[in-house]
Amino acid sequence: MAATRRRPEDLRSHRWYGVQDLRAFGHRSRTLQMGFAREDFAGKPVIGIVNTWSDINPCHYHFKQRVEEVKRGVWQAGGFPLELPAITLAEPFQKPTTMMYRNLLAMDTEELLRSYPVDGAVLMGGCDKTTPALIMGASSANLPAIYLPAGPMLRGNWHGEFLGSGTDSWKYWAELRAGTITERDWQEVEEGIARSPGHCMVMGTASTMTSVAETLGLTLPGAASIPAADANHGRMATASGRRIVDMVWEDLKPRAILTAAAFDNAITAIHALSGSTNAVIHLIAMAGRVGVALDLERFDRISRTTPVLANVRPAGTYLMEDFYYAGGLRALLAQLRDALALDCITVTGKTLGENLDGARIYRPDVIRTRADPLSPSGGLAVLRGNLAPDGAVIKPTAAEARLLKHKGPAVVFQSYDDMAARIDDEALVIDADSVIVLQNAGPLAAGMPEWGQLPIPKKLLRCGVRDMLRISDARMSGTSYGACVLHVAPESYLGAPLALVRDGDSIEIDVAARRLHLHVDESELARRRTEWRPAPARFKRGFGALYAGHVTQADKGCDFDFLEGTVDTPEPDIH
Ligand code: FES
């Protein structure tokens, strides 16, 4: 796509390898030390392969093999591949939450790419926060970069039923607590729900964010939907390795791809997929890295006109493996041509519109057509009101319809521990119309973990209650469901209105009107505000202290304030 191809002496790596001085002698001799020959690297684009593999990340455990397939493609196209391991963010294991470490991986990626002789990058991620983190870092480094999504794992199986990551864990956990399945059943679900490499295979945060990466134009067409275990995935890895070499010669950089129109396309995709609420935070942060200002209203506006087309759990029925066989993301986006900016340039050097040519739906029950959507609009809704002055989000398609316009008395928990200690207390005054409120679960209080699908008390589960209105400043796993109002901003830790709610206060939600209201007089709220005392600082040293000093609130993307924007960082001196 670029008018002129760069020459070897134009490459960034030329400053390390191509000049005749003592430093370059060291760079060459130390590369030769690893068994490479001069012709392996001389005058070739150096491709940094940022690999988030580790022994503790099951979503990426095929990356040991995939990285070799990427290297194969880089060699084929005349590049020099270098694997650069980056910090691993393994969603199921990392505490208090991977969300705290998203910005650390973004910094890791940016600094790896800037401080080494890298001309272009292949970004290997997929497990929840890895996608936004890698893209945020590569966008700030602004070197040619292509994203390699890990791909979803295969469907889970149990007693002839398909199981979806997270979604069916929550479902059968509730059944176990309600006494409708046995411990033995539960153990079998545990053994059957995750049976191949790859990320969660519902439309959770991972599938949403890899689909976002593809819609933004950062992956090869179709890459986000291929199951990790499919041979097409390995071929896609090699093709990505081939393509990045040409992107370097063409000087095709993230900031040329990540335009405001591309972000609008991504928002459209999130809504059509009924994607994870987490995507709102991540997209705002990603856009901030390239100087595109996204606000919550933009998500809400696009949501009102975008039909939900992906019939995938938790909002729908099927799983990502079915979605792939049904035509994948390209087939879904092709249904939305009129709503997309088709002229956005992508890593292929072609436009999004060109990349969608020929895409077809093969199973209209899995990917719905425009004429037969799962829902005519409203994959996500942004709420405002005196309880959330800077906004909150809810996923209406994943909630019981009766709770989308509802009023009930608050049952307040001041922390997760408080909730864990009392939620199943038979004496707790609560019924199906109550509104469960969790405080102190936001970015500064707790790192903003995925606690937002607050548990329904056992005694109500036994009576058949499966959904209630729940409100917090936490996030919710993209695999979760329920009438959960999330990301309340500002967070309660800062003394915001959410911190002032007391048991019995009346709370009203009206999703159609985008309203969330606490029915307490302003004078009473003012009185409570004078009584409110901040909790002690949670994170006092190391990365936590850096995080606490600089993280922004949910409506601003939870990036670090000093990482936002496109201020140029000077190239490193090579002396
Ligand atoms: Fe990695 Fe869900 S645990 S994507």
Side-chain angles (χ1 to χ4, degrees):
M1 81 80 135
T4 54
R5 273 176 85 85
R6 295 201 293 168
R7 303 162 304 166
E9 53 272 33
D10 300 328
L11 296 176
R12 195 171 170 268
S13 60
H14 180 78
R15 297 165 59 228
W16 274 263
Y17 283 121
V19 293
Q20 294 304 326
D21 62 16
L22 183 59
R23 287 288 168 218
F25 163 87
H27 303 144
R28 287 190 294 267
S29 73
R30 290 300 184 151
T31 304
L32 294 166
Q33 178 187 5
M34 293 185 280
F36 293 111
R38 283 182 202 280
E39 53 268 38
D40 286 334
F41 59 87
K44 294 185 172 182
V46 176
I47 305 301
I49 306 171
V50 184
N51 191 354
T52 51
W53 173 88
S54 80
D55 266 336
I56 201 161
N57 195 331
C59 305
H60 297 176
Y61 87 79
H62 55 315
F63 275 1
K64 260 189 172 175
Q65 180 181 336
R66 291 292 175 270
V67 75
E68 298 307 321
E69 290 156 344
V70 173
K71 287 179 185 174
R72 183 198 301 162
V74 174
W75 288 120
Q76 285 172 355
F80 179 46
L82 292 177
E83 184 178 353
L84 302 172
I87 181 174
T88 192
L89 306 187
E91 194 65 28
F93 294 99
Q94 194 167 32
K95 308 298 177 195
T97 159
T98 52
M99 185 65 201
M100 254 193 82
Y101 297 103
R102 183 198 66 185
N103 297 348
L104 184 58
L105 175 56
M107 291 174 76
D108 192 358
T109 304
E110 178 180 349
E111 301 305 330
L112 278 173
L113 298 184
R114 181 176 295 119
S115 58
Y116 286 112
V118 173
D119 297 306
V122 178
L123 311 169
M124 298 180 65
C127 188
D128 285 22
K129 315 303 180 291
T130 57
T131 300
L134 289 162
I135 293 173
M136 287 160 70
S139 302
S140 294
N142 201 31
L143 296 178
I146 193 166
Y147 192 73
L148 173 66
M153 65 179 105
L154 300 176
R155 302 181 194 100
N157 274 292
W158 177 63
H159 291 188
E161 281 180 40
F162 294 137
L163 297 177
S165 322
T167 306
D168 284 303
S169 314
W170 320 127
K171 175 177 158 185
Y172 286 107
W173 177 241
E175 298 306 328
L176 183 69
R177 280 159 46 84
T180 57
I181 65 169
T182 65
E183 287 286 350
R184 170 79 184 265
D185 292 331
W186 178 240
Q187 190 177 331
E188 288 174 356
V189 169
E190 188 174 294
E191 289 158 2
I193 199 165
R195 60 189 188 93
S196 86
H199 59 67
C200 292
M201 76 320 228
V202 297
M203 192 53 71
T205 305
S207 303
T208 306
M209 292 310 300
T210 55
S211 299
V212 159
E214 180 171 334
T215 309
L216 285 169
L218 292 173
T219 75
L220 291 181
S225 310
I226 308 172
D230 194 302
N232 283 301
H233 196 271
R235 282 190 283 276
M236 182 271 294
T238 302
S240 300
R242 276 197 301 269
R243 177 59 196 149
I244 188 61
V245 177
D246 280 334
M247 285 175 68
V248 170
W249 292 125
E250 294 164 11
D251 204 20
L252 179 51
K253 293 176 176 169
R255 285 183 206 162
I257 294 170
L258 297 176
T259 60
F263 280 101
D264 280 351
N265 286 344
I267 296 172
T268 300
I270 291 168
H271 294 321
L273 295 166
S274 194
S276 165
T277 45
N278 286 321
V280 176
I281 297 177
H282 297 321
L283 213 63
I284 291 172
M286 290 159 65
R289 294 301 187 98
V290 291
V292 173
L294 287 188
D295 58 24
L296 291 176
E297 268 54 45
R298 201 144 164 177
F299 287 83
D300 197 75
R301 217 169 33 246
I302 296 175
S303 174
R304 289 173 188 267
T305 56
T306 306
V308 177
L309 301 181
N311 188 9
V312 177
R313 295 179 210 181
T317 304
Y318 295 97
L319 297 168
M320 286 301 290
E321 192 179 341
D322 308 294
F323 186 73
Y324 176 58
Y325 303 144
L329 182 68
R330 289 175 65 244
L332 178 137
L333 293 179
Q335 288 291 306
L336 297 164
R337 276 180 171 275
D338 60 309
L340 296 168
L342 296 171
D343 57 350
C344 288
I345 205 72
T346 73
V347 291
T348 60
K350 298 181 179 153
T351 64
L352 177 66
E354 289 174 300
N355 290 348
L356 297 181
D357 285 345
R360 281 178 52 200
I361 295 175
Y362 301 108
R363 287 187 56 189
D365 50 336
V366 180
I367 300 176
R368 299 290 188 84
T369 62
R370 283 297 277 273
D372 181 30
L374 201 64
S375 160
S377 65
L380 288 172
V382 174
L383 307 174
R384 292 210 186 248
N386 65 347
L387 196 48
D390 291 339
V393 302
I394 187 171
K395 190 170 178 177
T397 48
E400 285 186 10
R402 69 182 174 89
L403 294 168
L404 300 179
K405 186 170 170 56
H406 179 75
K407 188 172 178 181
V411 177
V412 181
F413 299 98
Q414 293 182 349
S415 68
Y416 187 87
D417 287 346
D418 178 29
M419 182 178 70
R422 296 196 292 123
I423 191 75
D424 287 332
D425 186 340
E426 295 290 324
L428 184 70
V429 179
I430 192 166
D431 62 27
D433 289 331
S434 299
V435 180
I436 307 177
V437 174
L438 175 66
Q439 300 167 331
N440 291 309
L444 286 164
M448 207 178 182
E450 293 185 336
W451 292 340
Q453 191 192 32
L454 311 179
I456 293 171
K458 259 185 191 171
K459 65 179 179 183
L460 298 182
L461 286 170
R462 285 197 298 268
C463 299
V465 178
R466 290 295 183 271
D467 200 2
M468 292 175 69
L469 182 59
R470 293 162 266 182
I471 300 175
S472 74
D473 43 16
R475 296 174 303 115
M476 174 172 89
S477 166
T479 65
S480 301
Y481 51 86
C484 302
V485 176
L486 310 157
H487 311 180
V488 169
E491 63 174 302
S492 53
Y493 180 86
L494 295 171
L498 186 66
L500 309 178
V501 185
R502 300 286 180 267
D503 282 341
D505 289 350
S506 177
I507 293 178
E508 185 177 5
I509 188 172
D510 184 342
V511 173
R514 302 299 197 257
R515 185 161 178 264
L516 182 66
H517 190 76
L518 175 65
H519 287 277
V520 175
D521 288 348
E522 188 46 50
S523 57
E524 170 61 13
L525 288 177
R527 191 192 65 73
R528 292 181 190 177
R529 205 168 282 122
T530 60
E531 284 177 359
W532 179 83
R533 295 287 172 273
R538 169 92 194 266
F539 306 109
K540 295 184 188 137
R541 70 176 307 276
F543 177 72
L546 180 71
Y547 172 91
H550 295 281
V551 73
T552 62
Q553 290 287 289
D555 61 306
K556 301 288 188 295
C558 297
D559 200 359
F560 290 165
D561 49 12
F562 62 88
L563 293 173
E564 294 170 339
T566 55
V567 175
D568 271 340
T569 304
E571 280 284 322
D573 295 325
I574 307 179
H575 305 309

